[in-house]
Amino acid sequence: AEPENIENTVLLIGFGRFGQIVSQPVLARGYTLSIIDSNAEFIRDIGDFGFKVYYGDGVRPEILHAAGAATARAILICVDDKEAALKIAEIVKEEFPLVPVLARAYDRGHAIDLLKAGVDYQVRETYDSALNFGGEVLRTLGEADETALQMVEEFREIDRERFALEQVGGIYAGRSLIKGNAQPADIIAAKTARERERRAAAQDAAQGAAR
Amino acid sequence: AEPENIENTVLLIGFGRFGQIVSQPVLARGYTLSIIDSNAEFIRDIGDFGFKVYYGDGVRPEILHAAGAATARAILICVDDKEAALKIAEIVKEEFPLVPVLARAYDRGHAIDLLKAGVDYQVRETYDSALNFGGEVLRTLGEADETALQMVEEFREIDRERFALEQVGGIYAGRSLIKGNAQPADIIAAKTARERERRAAAQDAAQGAAR
């Protein structure tokens, strides 16, 4: 079946754990969602929950066109495959440059790649749950709710700064903003061990060359 | 190497994308973290970022003991393997029944299983990022920030209710709380197609039995 009445809808690509949650506040506010997913069996099962999902993998321009990408108010890339997400981002930014694109990112490196591909917004898929989990740990340890929320907010700021540094300088760039658990002695021991290995490797190479 | 000074620490099992974020507000507040992970190569690399991580897979009681589980102030299960997380939850609740346990859940079904295993807190790993993404979609569509936040908060309430129903009655129990995108005609068409298939299958079975 081909999608009908697809003008002015929001196009959601990938309807797993992530896309399903994304859809709820959008549908609750009265927007029309055109949904595509590449798992045929899943599309059938999700019908029992009141969803109409079209089959397609989102990396083919003709599928995107058929699903209304050209006239969409926004395109939401919510697939769980890193490479596919990036490919879809590149295609939609090329084919539909005026449509805002929001994307689910796997990790920091993927987030940077998606921004380079031109997406207008990205969120790392486990970031917010992990951070709220960190706040809950503090509450469990006896900290006041206010303190837990403050530590979480402070970290959000630090992480934003770290991410900005990484976007320019790569994944080591924001390293000084990370709080480690290693003691100074651990760090020195690790460096010494690494230095020793490096010297041993260099010596082996030199002996190999001399033979 | 064996962990040292492990009394009164927080034990974190699984130090990937999720565990790393969890660690930050906890370390920033001055708590001591004992961290274990089952990826040896990763443990070495993460040393460059100031972390001391012990090798172990968390499903063996002797590893948990060595990492300080018995005297830990909390145990955080942050592994990305559903089955392993559940097994760790069962082991720690059996061996260290007085230590609070917080766990990363994969999806709704996994969250329910973890609670049945006795964990004190769980969060679905992509839930909060997906919900915030939904709020951002509304902002992109031109809704006021206030409206976006309100829709997100309203959905949180609905989802809490749905989850409570599912805990008692299984994954179909909270179905009426889900907002679908299907039109009434789609739903009737899907039901009719399914009914036709069921009848055809029953007929095939009857014919098979009659032969």
Side-chain angles (χ1 to χ4, degrees):
Chain A
E2 286 287 300
E4 288 157 29
N5 310 318
I6 49 172
E7 294 209 5
N8 276 311
T9 64
V10 175
L11 173 57
L12 197 169
I13 306 166
F15 203 54
R17 297 175 294 164
F18 195 95
Q20 289 171 38
I21 297 297
V22 167
S23 74
Q24 293 299 286
V26 180
L27 287 168
R29 189 66 186 160
Y31 291 94
T32 307
L33 273 185
S34 172
I35 308 174
I36 66 180
D37 194 275
S38 61
N39 181 334
E41 200 184 332
F42 165 77
I43 288 173
R44 207 188 130 128
D45 293 343
I46 200 83
D48 283 345
F49 291 85
F51 291 102
K52 187 161 179 66
V53 178
Y54 295 100
Y55 176 75
D57 69 3
V59 297
R60 286 165 53 202
E62 66 273 25
I63 302 251
L64 293 168
H65 269 287
T71 57
R73 298 183 60 170
I75 297 176
L76 320 179
I77 304 174
C78 298
V79 299
D80 68 354
D81 176 322
K82 278 163 69 168
E83 305 307 321
L86 197 54
K87 198 163 170 198
I88 295 168
E90 286 161 359
I91 292 169
V92 296
K93 275 294 162 188
E94 167 87 22
E95 303 260 331
F96 320 106
L98 300 178
V99 183
V101 177
L102 296 82
R104 162 189 184 176
Y106 178 77
D107 59 11
R108 312 180 82 87
H110 192 227
I112 290 171
D113 290 344
L114 286 165
L115 291 170
K116 279 185 187 155
V119 306
D120 302 281
Y121 170 83
Q122 60 71 30
V123 65
R124 279 165 278 154
E125 63 181 15
T126 62
Y127 180 77
D128 289 325
S129 284
L131 193 45
N132 291 341
F133 187 111
E136 189 63 27
V137 173
L138 291 174
R139 277 178 217 104
T140 300
L141 297 172
E143 301 283 350
D145 190 43
E146 208 174 275
T147 309
L149 290 175
Q150 188 196 328
M151 298 311 292
V152 163
E153 279 320 303
E154 280 178 17
F155 176 70
R156 258 187 211 289
E157 273 308 310
I158 293 169
D159 190 77
R160 251 192 287 271
E161 196 182 329
R162 180 179 162 203
F163 189 74
L165 290 170
E166 288 172 331
Q167 271 189 278
V168 179
I171 62 154
Y172 284 86
R175 191 155 53 150
S176 65
L177 295 170
I178 303 172
K179 291 227 180 300
N181 73 330
Q183 303 299 313
D186 296 330
I187 296 170
I188 292 166
K191 274 198 182 146
T192 310
R194 208 163 268 237
E195 188 51 40
R196 200 183 303 126
E197 274 179 40
R198 211 171 3 240
R199 254 183 273 131
Q203 209 163 24
D204 281 358
Q207 284 174 349
R211 260 183 222 123
Chain B
E2 286 286 301
E4 288 155 29
N5 310 320
I6 51 174
E7 295 210 5
N8 275 313
T9 64
V10 175
L11 172 57
L12 198 169
I13 306 165
F15 202 56
R17 297 176 294 164
F18 195 96
Q20 289 171 38
I21 298 297
V22 167
S23 75
Q24 293 300 286
V26 180
L27 287 169
R29 189 65 187 161
Y31 290 95
T32 308
L33 273 184
S34 173
I35 307 174
I36 66 181
D37 195 274
S38 61
N39 181 333
E41 199 185 332
F42 165 77
I43 288 174
R44 206 187 132 128
D45 293 343
I46 200 81
D48 283 343
F49 291 85
F51 292 102
K52 186 162 179 67
V53 178
Y54 295 100
Y55 177 74
D57 68 4
V59 297
R60 285 166 53 202
E62 66 273 25
I63 301 252
L64 293 168
H65 270 287
T71 57
R73 298 183 60 169
I75 297 175
L76 320 178
I77 304 174
C78 298
V79 299
D80 68 354
D81 176 324
K82 278 163 70 168
E83 305 306 322
L86 198 54
K87 199 163 170 198
I88 296 169
E90 286 162 358
I91 292 168
V92 296
K93 275 293 162 187
E94 166 87 22
E95 303 260 330
F96 319 104
L98 301 178
V99 182
V101 178
L102 295 84
R104 163 189 184 177
Y106 178 77
D107 58 11
R108 313 179 81 87
H110 192 228
I112 291 171
D113 290 343
L114 286 166
L115 291 170
K116 279 185 186 155
V119 306
D120 302 280
Y121 170 83
Q122 59 71 31
V123 66
R124 279 165 278 153
E125 64 183 13
T126 61
Y127 180 75
D128 290 323
S129 283
L131 194 45
N132 290 342
F133 187 110
E136 189 62 25
V137 173
L138 291 175
R139 275 178 219 106
T140 301
L141 296 172
E143 302 283 351
D145 190 44
E146 207 173 274
T147 309
L149 290 174
Q150 188 196 327
M151 298 312 292
V152 163
E153 280 319 303
E154 280 178 17
F155 176 71
R156 260 188 210 287
E157 272 308 309
I158 293 169
D159 190 77
R160 251 191 287 272
E161 197 182 328
R162 180 180 162 202
F163 189 74
L165 290 170
E166 288 172 331
Q167 271 188 278
V168 179
I171 63 153
Y172 283 88
R175 191 155 52 150
S176 65
L177 295 170
I178 304 172
K179 293 229 180 297
N181 71 330
Q183 302 300 312
D186 297 329
I187 295 170
I188 292 165
K191 273 197 181 145
T192 310
R194 205 162 270 238
E195 187 51 39
R196 199 183 304 126
E197 275 179 40
R198 212 171 359 242
R199 255 183 273 131
Q203 209 163 22
D204 281 357
Q207 285 175 346
R211 261 182 223 124

